[in-house]
Amino acid sequence: MTATALTPAEMTDRTGVSIDTLRYYEKEGLIQNVGRSESGHRRYSDEDVLWVEVLRCLRDTGMTMEQLRHYCDLGAQGDHTAPERKRLLTEHRAKVEEQIAARKEALKLIDHKLSYYEESSS
Amino acid sequence: MTATALTPAEMTDRTGVSIDTLRYYEKEGLIQNVGRSESGHRRYSDEDVLWVEVLRCLRDTGMTMEQLRHYCDLGAQGDHTAPERKRLLTEHRAKVEEQIAARKEALKLIDHKLSYYEESSS
DNA sequence: GAACAACCTGGAGCGCACTCCAGGTCAACC
DNA sequence: GGTTGACCTGGAGTGCGCTCCAGGTTGTTC
């Protein structure tokens, strides 16, 4: 099923997400069915790595924990929630587009201010 | 000097920044030399409006309060700090470019996930 | 001149997303 | 088998950027 089984420390190396945050995400339901060793230690799969990368991508673009929790809950409920998940993702996509547009405007404003400093070199 | 003198409420209408936040920014040194009426009430100038828009632009693109404070402190210190201010702005500009790039990557990932929902309509 | 809204100050409180801690278990190496 | 380090849990603490509150003054309107 899963080729590798990463320890929490290895998972942190792979994803850049701290052990504490990984546990927090799991507690909040954003990472589900995390494997365990016989002794109870977490063992992450390659799929977990990919999923955490998705989580970080969505978080870093402003999706809140609450929204992510909802999205994950829907996923756990089965295929019939696919349309709703598609809707959420499409909605978020639009927000990311807006963020890009806003940042392009910001660049204009910054460049305008920078033009005042034109003659001086750094 | 200043054509108009806006009350705090009018300033909020113009900039979308709440009265509390305006006072907070002033207390933190991000807005300096705010005018006062005889009775001690704040009176904002058109320049203040423009400046608050710059502040919001920088804040919304991830500049921290501390960095903004530093930038404003430099401005208050006079023209000889212009090179340093230019440097800070250029540095922030690069970050905004990175944010745009990261968001473009996010769009790719979102679109990839959305492709799984292709056949179902929302 | 009374009522009511807008303003003032200093300081406390809040929501979010982590991050850290205490007190204990497990594993690996000398 | 003892030490050392990675891991476990539940819960407390933190930092940021606001946001709200109490208690008081000012300004306008009837």
Side-chain angles (χ1 to χ4, degrees):
Chain A
M1 189 74 72
T2 54
T4 54
L6 304 171
T7 65
E10 287 165 345
M11 189 66 169
T12 291
D13 284 349
R14 292 280 179 96
T15 62
V17 177
S18 78
I19 293 176
D20 275 322
T21 300
L22 288 169
R23 280 197 287 251
Y24 169 63
Y25 284 177
E26 187 180 340
K27 185 157 55 177
E28 294 296 312
L30 305 197
I31 314 173
Q32 289 165 358
N33 307 317
V34 174
R36 295 280 175 150
S37 71
E38 288 188 353
S39 57
H41 290 191
R42 287 176 181 77
R43 288 297 115 96
Y44 295 97
S45 68
D46 288 337
E47 285 156 32
D48 291 332
V49 174
L50 290 175
W51 178 240
V52 166
E53 281 163 2
V54 171
L55 286 180
R56 284 312 318 175
C57 165
L58 295 174
R59 275 288 304 118
D60 288 346
T61 52
M63 192 175 278
T64 65
M65 290 297 290
E66 190 183 349
Q67 290 169 324
L68 278 171
R69 211 178 296 127
H70 183 205
Y71 184 75
C72 293
D73 286 352
L74 288 172
Q77 281 169 40
D79 287 348
H80 69 283
T81 64
E84 172 71 354
R85 278 178 280 150
K86 183 188 179 185
R87 198 184 60 75
L88 292 177
L89 227 45
T90 306
E91 216 168 276
H92 186 67
R93 191 191 191 288
K95 278 192 198 150
V96 176
E97 294 268 31
E98 278 170 32
Q99 290 170 11
I100 291 175
R103 274 155 184 78
K104 284 182 178 172
E105 282 302 309
L107 283 185
K108 276 193 209 169
L109 193 150
I110 291 168
D111 285 340
H112 180 67
K113 280 202 84 66
L114 276 175
S115 71
Y116 293 139
Y117 299 117
E118 204 73 307
E119 43 269 34
S120 57
S121 70
S122 68
Chain B
M1 190 73 75
T2 54
T4 55
L6 303 170
T7 66
E10 288 165 344
M11 188 67 170
T12 291
D13 284 348
R14 292 280 177 96
T15 62
V17 176
S18 79
I19 294 176
D20 274 323
T21 300
L22 288 170
R23 279 198 288 251
Y24 169 63
Y25 284 177
E26 187 181 340
K27 185 156 56 176
E28 293 296 312
L30 304 198
I31 314 174
Q32 290 166 357
N33 306 318
V34 174
R36 296 279 174 151
S37 70
E38 287 189 354
S39 58
H41 290 192
R42 286 176 181 78
R43 289 296 115 97
Y44 295 97
S45 68
D46 287 338
E47 285 157 32
D48 290 333
V49 174
L50 290 174
W51 178 239
V52 166
E53 281 163 2
V54 171
L55 286 179
R56 286 310 319 173
C57 165
L58 295 174
R59 276 286 307 119
D60 288 346
T61 52
M63 191 175 277
T64 65
M65 290 297 291
E66 190 183 350
Q67 289 168 325
L68 278 171
R69 210 177 297 129
H70 183 204
Y71 184 76
C72 294
D73 286 352
L74 289 172
Q77 280 169 41
D79 287 347
H80 67 283
T81 64
E84 172 71 354
R85 279 178 281 151
K86 182 188 179 185
R87 198 184 61 75
L88 292 176
L89 227 45
T90 306
E91 216 168 276
H92 186 66
R93 189 189 192 290
K95 279 192 197 150
V96 175
E97 294 269 31
E98 278 170 32
Q99 291 169 12
I100 291 174
R103 274 156 183 77
K104 284 183 177 170
E105 282 303 307
L107 282 184
K108 277 193 207 168
L109 193 150
I110 291 168
D111 285 339
H112 180 67
K113 281 201 84 69
L114 276 174
S115 71
Y116 292 139
Y117 299 117
E118 204 73 306
E119 44 268 35
S120 57
S121 70
S122 67

